[in-house]
């Protein structure tokens, strides 16, 4: 893997404002772009129980005018700057990302300061915002695979960490304009906020601008959500059609855990490309399903491996049995040739991340949230180079797949393994 010096990356810089907001920057002269990633500590775990989806509604309403700009002017000015943007609501944060030419970074930062701190949240556009959120909810409900994974997360994660990011139709429809304003004022705050900037920029100039834009942002004390046990009950959801959707989850270690890379690599051997075990055994050799996958999804304090298979009703039971069997076999260890193929894919991803200011701004903000530091890409590359099959197998001895949670969706229930009933 090319070292970070070969693409002229400079060491990550950290600046913390007096109100707690953290600026993380990684400059490079090798690109002509600059990107920002803003993590605001308001995720769907902060939704009130009777207003599920409120955080997503607030996210939509923020783009409907801010500062001196109405809704149309706000979007128009971002487009004039050539900003490629995205917004998403996660379990712990609402994320805003923006990439543009390096020369436009200052103006983009100023616009996002208005969006976060001075949104209009126009009551006359609340119904339009609700319709956007309802479309997301209904789209997920109409997609069997999404509906299945929402049910699986509710069953494997404690509440509120297993909620759907979209919320519920009732939660959205019951929200009023004052709910939106109150949720924004209580949860959009500098303490806990992280701003990652990557690309071609001057560090000191960005520090000065961020201080100017955000230093007087007042902190807000918030109460953490109360955790309750995961949802129980029937793991099967009836769904008309001739297809069946199967979900399986088991605990893993979060990103901050020293063993995370080993856990992640083990899942990569299980499901990471056309040579992976699940793809080879379940789809290619047996032709049981049209799609099968597994991914390690991490929150700050907890993580799960989430597995999915979609198949026809007549092959569903065999698909479940074979998929479960392959996951159990993972506990017996991986082979060096499997790891070597995985390393090649990982290194390709790291090289592409070096060349993308957008990807790097997201990565450094995430690193700070999980690790309280930024891992240089050369450090990540070294860790990968040094990883051995023995390392992974040692991890699997102490953390074999187990404590499984299942969810199925289709015309009829499936028979689950007796040891998890």
């Amino acid at each position: 893997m090319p070292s970070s010096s070969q693409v002229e990356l400079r060491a990550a810089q950290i600046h913390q404002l007096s109100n707690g907001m953290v600026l993380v920057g990684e400059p490079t002269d090798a690109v002509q772009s600059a990107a920002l990633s803003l993590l605001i500590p308001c995720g769907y775990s902060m939704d009130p129980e009777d207003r599920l989806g409120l955080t997503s509604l607030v996210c939509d309403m923020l783009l409907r005018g801010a500062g001196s700009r109405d809704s149309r002017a706000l979007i128009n000015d971002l487009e004039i700057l050539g900003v490629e943007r995205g917004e998403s609501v996660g379990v712990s944060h609402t994320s805003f990302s923006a990439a543009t030419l390096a020369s436009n970074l200052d103006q983009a930062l100023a616009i996002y300061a208005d969006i976060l701190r001075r949104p209009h949240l126009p009551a006359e556009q609340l119904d339009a915002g609700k319709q956007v959120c309802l479309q997301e909810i209904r789209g997920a409900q109409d997609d069997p695979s999404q509906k299945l994974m929402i049910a699986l997360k509710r069953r494997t994660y404690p509440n509120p960490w297993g909620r759907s990011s979209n919320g519920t139709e009732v939660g959205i429809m019951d929200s009023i304009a004052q709910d939106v304003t109150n949720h924004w004022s209580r949860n959009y705050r500098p303490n806990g906020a992280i701003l990652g900037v990557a690309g071609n920029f001057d560090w000191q100039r960005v520090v000065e601008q961020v201080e100017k834009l955000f230093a007087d942002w007042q902190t807000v004390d918030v109460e953490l959500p109360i955790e309750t046990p995961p949802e129980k009950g029937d793991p099967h959801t009836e769904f008309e059609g001739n297809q069946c959707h199967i979900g399986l989850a088991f605990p893993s270690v979060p990103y901050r855990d020293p063993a995370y890379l080993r856990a992640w690599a083990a899942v990569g051997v299980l499901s990471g490309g056309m040579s992976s075990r699940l793809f080879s055994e379940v789809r290619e050799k047996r032709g049981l399903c049209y799609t099968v996958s597994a991914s390690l999804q991490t929150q700050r304090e907890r993580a799960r491996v989430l597995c999915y298979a979609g198949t026809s009703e007549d092959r569903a039971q065999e698909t479940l049995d074979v998929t479960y069997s392959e996951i159990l076999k993972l506990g017996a260890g991986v082979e060096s040739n499997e790891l070597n193929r995985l390393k090649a894919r990982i290194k390709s991803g790291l090289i592409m991340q070096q060349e993308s200011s957008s990807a790097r701004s997201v990565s450094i903000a995430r690193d700070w949230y999980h690790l309280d530091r930024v891992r240089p890409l050369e450090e990540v590359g070294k860790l990968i180079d040094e990883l051995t099959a023995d390392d992974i197998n040692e991890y699997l001895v102490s953390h074999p797949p187990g404590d499984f949670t299942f969810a199925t969706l289709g015309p009829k229930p499936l028979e689950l393994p007796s040891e998890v009933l």
Side-chain angles (χ1 to χ4, degrees), residues 38-150:
L38 272 158
L39 302 183
I40 303 301
C42 179
Y44 57 77
S45 58
M46 301 301 292
D47 284 346
E49 287 287 350
D50 61 347
R51 294 290 188 274
L52 298 182
L54 182 56
T55 299
S56 291
L57 181 57
V58 170
C59 181
D60 178 88
M61 294 296 294
L62 289 173
L63 275 297
R64 296 177 181 273
S68 61
R69 302 171 177 88
D70 63 15
S71 181
R72 178 173 295 183
L74 180 63
I75 300 304
N76 184 63
D77 284 0
L78 288 171
E79 290 182 349
I80 288 173
L81 294 175
V83 172
E84 294 184 4
R85 64 179 180 86
E87 304 84 35
S88 64
V89 174
V91 63
S92 299
H93 295 94
T94 297
S95 302
F96 299 85
S97 61
T100 185
L101 292 173
S103 57
N104 293 335
L105 178 62
D106 286 359
Q107 295 175 75
L109 276 169
I111 291 175
Y112 274 91
D114 279 342
I115 291 171
L116 299 179
R117 301 192 56 195
R118 291 171 286 275
H120 296 175
L121 306 176
E124 69 275 11
Q125 294 191 37
L126 181 62
D127 286 343
K130 286 183 177 183
Q131 288 304 312
V132 171
C133 294
L134 291 173
Q135 291 279 0
E136 293 287 338
I137 294 171
R138 291 164 184 166
Q141 289 297 312
D142 290 339
D143 182 336
S145 61
Q146 286 194 58
K147 187 170 183 174
L148 181 278
M149 295 309 291
I150 289 171

Side-chain angles (χ1 to χ4, degrees), residues 135-188:
Q135 291 279 0
E136 293 287 338
I137 294 171
R138 291 164 184 166
Q141 289 297 312
D142 290 339
D143 182 336
S145 61
Q146 286 194 58
K147 187 170 183 174
L148 181 278
M149 295 309 291
I150 289 171
L152 180 63
K153 289 178 182 178
R154 288 201 307 265
R155 291 178 57 80
T156 191
Y157 284 114
N159 184 57
W161 315 113
R163 290 173 173 172
S164 166
S165 61
N166 297 327
T168 64
E169 290 194 32
V170 171
I172 295 295
M173 291 305 298
D174 285 352
S175 296
I176 61 174
Q178 193 61 51
D179 293 326
V180 171
T181 300
N182 291 345
H183 198 64
W184 165 75
S185 64
R186 290 170 184 162
N187 294 288
Y188 274 65

Side-chain angles (χ1 to χ4, degrees), residues 359-381:
R360 195 59 188 150
S361 68
V362 171
S363 182
I364 62 177
R366 180 196 63 181
D367 270 6
W368 186 263
Y369 172 65
H370 287 282
L371 305 175
D372 295 322
R373 72 182 189 92
V374 174
R375 277 183 176 157
L377 284 174
E378 60 183 4
E379 177 186 331
V380 178

Side-chain angles (χ1 to χ4, degrees), residues 276-342:
S276 66
R277 293 187 182 185
L278 287 180
F279 189 94
S280 298
E281 187 65 30
V282 184
R283 177 174 172 175
E284 290 298 291
K285 290 182 182 179
R286 300 177 184 250
L288 290 173
C289 61
Y290 55 85
T291 184
V292 62
S293 63
S295 62
L296 174 49
Q297 298 194 5
T298 181
Q299 300 175 5
R300 186 174 172 89
E301 305 295 340
R302 63 197 65 78
R304 299 289 189 276
V305 177
L306 302 180
C307 309
Y308 168 77
T311 186
S312 59
E313 180 186 1
D314 61 322
R315 308 301 299 276
Q317 187 63 56
E318 188 180 0
T319 299
L320 186 153
D321 295 341
V322 175
T323 301
Y324 179 61
S325 175
E326 286 300 312
I327 292 170
L328 289 180
K329 288 179 185 176
L330 184 66
V334 304
E335 298 178 0
S336 295
N337 64 324
E338 293 178 305
L339 177 59
N340 291 337
R341 289 194 294 267
L342 178 64

Side-chain angles (χ1 to χ4, degrees), residues 6-17:
Q6 287 178 281
V7 291
E8 302 179 78
L9 283 172
R10 295 190 287 274
Q13 304 287 323
I14 311 297
H15 177 75
Q16 183 165 4
L17 282 66

